[in-house]
Amino acid sequence: MVTGGLGFIGSHTTVELQQKGYDVVILDDCSNSSEKVLDGITAITGKRPIFEKLDLKEKADVVDFFRRHVDIQGVIHFAASKAVGESVEKPLLYYENNINTLIYILQELTQKEKASFIFSSSCTVYGQADEMPITENAPVKTAESPYGNTKQMGEEIIYDTCKVTPQLKAISLRYFNPMGAHPSAEIGELPIGIPQNLVPFITQTAIGLREQLAVFGDDYPTEDGTCIRDYIHVVDLAKAHVVALQRLMEGKNKENYEVFNVGTGNGSSVLEVIESFERVSGRKLNYKIVDRRAGDIVQAYADTTKANKVLGWKAQSSLDEAMKSAWLWEQKVRAN
Ligand SMILES: NC(=O)c1ccc[n+]([C@@H]2O[C@H](COP(=O)([O-])OP(=O)(O)OC[C@H]3O[C@@H](n4cnc5c(N)ncnc54)[C@H](O)[C@@H]3O)[C@@H](O)[C@H]2O)c1
């Protein structure tokens, strides 16, 4: 079961799961996606996943779903609201959607004889970490936004539940900065409204949908003065989910709740990301340096040793490869 499977990361993970032979059931309420994504998944894999349009905030519907699908063995839970700024404006909406849905699913899974659960967490749990690269042992800092808090609370809820439910096995994957699209350009990121993330903002600016990219601050204590993040190709990220799920389903986990960073281990500055775009597209990007934006941390990139060694997973794609896929996708979307 893949919740939020029509979304950006969920759709790419569904592709990787199907390509490994898993039968996938997608649950999504299409609040931030479209049913057309199913066509893209089908075009890549040759197999249409089962899809149920369902709002996971409706507890009775979640209960009913699990009654009808007693054979569900693993759940990857992507469904959530994810816009940091909006979460500050509408905290209760974020707590309701990101926490209630998690609780309803866990309530069902704890009644099963055996279940595996993967949770979409985020490097936001680390805030501005004191040391780079960031290991899983870095302290979780006070969340900067209700969105970030839902990820911290989500992890705690899973931890507490696993502690008293030995038959439930869970992994939280702390994503760094997902970007890019499937190389086939059949699926990709489809931000509704103004993109929150750098890469879709770059590609939308280049295609003419936005006038100019604002680079928030070039006076940070980094080499070129712009903020540094760890950009990971969404296909690499999707593969990490398959490996994590396999680990749980094959009983290879050391504890019944584990946490892994999922990043590349490399930090790239905003200007380096822009350069990558200009290199792979052959176009100049219209951007302007403006003042710093409140709440931005200076740098965050992962120590991926644990995922590399324990999961046997490593990101394969370079920033340029990921950027190329993002640009191809943007061009395809706008041509349609
Ligand atoms: N994209 C990122 O940069 C990033 C980084 C770290 C963590 N995450 C987390 O990864 C997960 C997936 O992110 P994404 O970028 O693919 O987001 P997305 O918005 O593209 O996908 C989320 C999907 O969940 C669905 N959904 C939301 N609420 C639902 C509900 N109540 N019932 C059913 N479906 C619902 C949406 O319609 C959407 O298709 C989220 O939990 C997000 O917080 C994302």
Side-chain angles (χ1 to χ4, degrees):
M1 167 178 163
V2 178
T3 77
L6 298 185
F8 174 40
I9 308 168
S11 57
H12 289 82
T13 302
T14 299
V15 164
E16 297 303 319
L17 285 167
Q18 293 201 147
Q19 286 179 336
K20 285 281 179 203
Y22 286 94
D23 293 321
V24 179
V25 184
I26 291 178
L27 293 188
D28 203 302
D29 66 354
C30 300
S31 55
N32 199 32
S33 54
S34 136
E35 276 187 52
K36 281 194 205 130
V37 173
L38 288 169
D39 299 335
I41 295 171
T42 311
I44 300 168
T45 63
K47 190 176 173 186
R48 203 169 180 84
I50 300 171
F51 168 62
E52 284 204 26
K53 188 168 178 180
L54 193 151
D55 181 351
L56 293 153
K57 292 195 295 299
E58 299 295 333
K59 182 172 174 167
D61 291 347
V62 176
V63 172
D64 175 63
F65 175 84
F66 276 94
R67 295 294 168 274
R68 287 185 287 108
H69 293 267
V70 285
D71 53 341
I72 298 277
Q73 293 171 35
V75 174
I76 307 185
H77 183 42
F78 293 104
S81 305
K82 64 166 184 177
V84 176
E86 187 188 44
S87 80
V88 176
E89 305 290 321
K90 300 172 186 167
L92 292 178
L93 193 145
Y94 274 66
Y95 287 116
E96 183 186 24
N97 201 31
N98 296 7
I99 301 296
N100 287 9
T101 58
L102 173 65
I103 291 173
Y104 299 156
I105 293 168
L106 290 178
Q107 280 172 335
E108 293 305 307
L109 294 186
T110 51
Q111 293 175 41
K112 283 179 165 286
E113 274 174 28
K114 208 174 149 193
S116 303
F117 183 75
I118 310 286
F119 179 61
S120 294
S121 190
S122 165
C123 66
T124 58
V125 301
Y126 299 119
Q128 179 56 76
D130 301 324
E131 284 174 38
M132 291 297 134
I134 305 172
T135 72
E136 288 81 355
N137 296 326
V140 167
K141 298 245 173 104
T142 306
E144 300 262 350
S145 68
Y147 167 75
N149 207 18
T150 65
K151 294 299 172 192
Q152 296 190 3
M153 290 168 70
E155 288 198 14
E156 286 170 5
I157 290 167
I158 301 164
Y159 172 80
D160 289 340
T161 308
C162 284
K163 215 159 54 177
V164 293
T165 321
Q167 72 275 20
L168 175 67
K169 294 175 286 184
I171 287 178
S172 285
L173 296 178
R174 292 178 177 163
Y175 314 159
F176 279 67
N177 295 75
M179 66 170 284
H182 195 271
S184 64
E186 293 288 351
I187 53 173
E189 191 170 4
L190 266 180
I192 294 175
I194 299 173
Q196 307 277 320
N197 293 334
L198 175 61
V199 174
F201 209 109
I202 289 178
T203 55
Q204 287 195 5
T205 305
I207 209 92
L209 218 61
R210 317 258 152 227
E211 204 182 315
Q212 192 174 52
L213 170 78
V215 176
F216 297 105
D218 67 349
D219 55 353
Y220 284 98
T222 61
E223 206 154 296
D224 63 23
T226 62
C227 293
I228 290 177
R229 299 286 181 273
D230 183 341
Y231 294 91
I232 175 165
H233 195 308
V234 65
V235 173
D236 279 329
L237 175 58
K239 287 180 176 163
H241 290 79
V242 180
V243 176
L245 185 67
Q246 252 161 1
R247 173 176 174 81
L248 296 183
M249 292 182 87
E250 290 169 5
K252 291 189 175 152
N253 50 306
K254 295 272 184 298
E255 291 160 66
N256 70 333
Y257 177 59
E258 298 175 316
V259 172
F260 294 94
N261 284 343
V262 189
T264 65
N266 301 316
S268 304
S269 72
V270 177
L271 293 182
E272 282 171 339
V273 175
I274 293 172
E275 278 162 23
S276 166
F277 173 77
E278 293 185 336
R279 208 163 34 240
V280 303
S281 68
R283 294 189 181 203
K284 280 268 157 234
L285 188 76
N286 182 15
Y287 71 91
K288 189 171 133 193
I289 311 279
V290 299
D291 288 345
R292 288 182 183 196
R293 183 173 58 174
D296 274 343
I297 57 167
V298 182
Q299 55 178 346
Y301 55 95
D303 183 323
T304 59
T305 311
K306 187 176 174 194
N308 299 161
K309 286 198 174 147
V310 179
L311 291 180
W313 167 92
K314 200 173 183 353
Q316 302 296 328
S317 299
S318 65
L319 177 62
D320 279 8
E321 281 165 332
M323 186 60 84
K324 206 169 157 187
S325 69
W327 180 228
L328 195 66
W329 168 246
E330 185 72 61
Q331 290 170 289
K332 183 177 167 192
V333 171
R334 300 310 151 196
N336 288 337

